[in-house]
Amino acid sequence: MLIRGLYYEGWKPSETPIKMSRQQFLEAVEEKIVTDRFLHPVRMTHDVFALLQNYISPGEVDNVKQILPKELQTLLPDSANQNSTRNMTSPTQKRAARKNIKKAARAAKRKHTIAHLPKRTRTALGKEGAKAAKKKR
């Protein structure tokens, strides 16, 4: 990402960070939104940060929040909301998903569908499985 910014998009680290007030930040967000309808910049910013919380650990979110100026910290959703956005599936949906996975695995074993895949695909599947197994250890 750093190399891409330096070489392809003309990013100059000496010019960052740009200090701006909450209002300036929201104006910049509003300016960058490309859509045919109005989207409120506060809501957009809040939604983007909420989405990022799905991919960033709670500790990292807290670190980012502490780095931001006080004015901009209010745009981040509370960390209490983070758990509710991460766990959007109901217990019934989880049970159904597990059941579907087991059903698909049984069908694959019964039909030997993996054996009929191209060698390159089987190799890639094996590598992904090994990677997943390694993460579990």
Side-chain angles (χ1 to χ4, degrees):
M1 189 61 102
L2 176 67
I3 293 170
R4 178 178 163 201
L6 284 170
Y7 292 105
Y8 298 107
E9 296 179 10
W11 177 59
K12 297 179 182 127
S14 61
E15 295 178 6
T16 47
I18 300 169
K19 295 188 180 189
M20 50 176 76
S21 68
R22 185 178 196 268
Q23 187 60 36
Q24 290 170 327
F25 177 80
L26 293 174
E27 286 171 2
V29 169
E30 189 172 14
E31 183 181 301
K32 302 284 191 249
I33 296 173
V34 179
T35 184
D36 56 347
R37 61 190 169 103
F38 175 75
L39 294 174
H40 199 279
V42 174
R43 181 164 182 205
M44 282 292 294
T45 304
H46 189 273
D47 290 347
V48 167
F49 281 126
L51 179 68
L52 286 173
Q53 286 181 342
N54 291 330
Y55 299 97
I56 301 174
S57 71
E60 287 176 300
V61 171
D62 290 339
N63 289 345
V64 169
K65 195 169 187 174
Q66 289 173 1
I67 291 170
L68 290 174
K70 297 276 186 220
E71 290 182 314
L72 297 180
Q73 287 180 9
T74 59
L75 296 173
L76 267 74
D78 294 333
S79 55
N81 294 340
Q82 182 177 355
N83 294 335
S84 64
T85 58
R86 278 187 192 225
N87 192 9
M88 296 174 75
T89 56
S90 70
T92 307
Q93 290 171 321
K94 286 181 182 178
R95 277 194 303 275
R98 284 190 192 109
K99 183 178 175 183
N100 289 338
I101 290 169
K102 288 178 184 177
K103 189 175 178 181
R106 282 194 305 269
K109 281 182 183 178
R110 186 173 59 247
K111 294 180 181 181
H112 301 286
T113 53
I114 293 177
H116 300 296
L117 292 173
K119 183 176 181 180
R120 188 168 140 192
T121 306
R122 289 193 314 264
T123 303
L125 284 171
K127 288 179 180 179
E128 287 298 316
K131 193 187 312 180
K134 189 176 180 181
K135 282 183 179 179
K136 284 186 178 181
R137 289 184 219 149

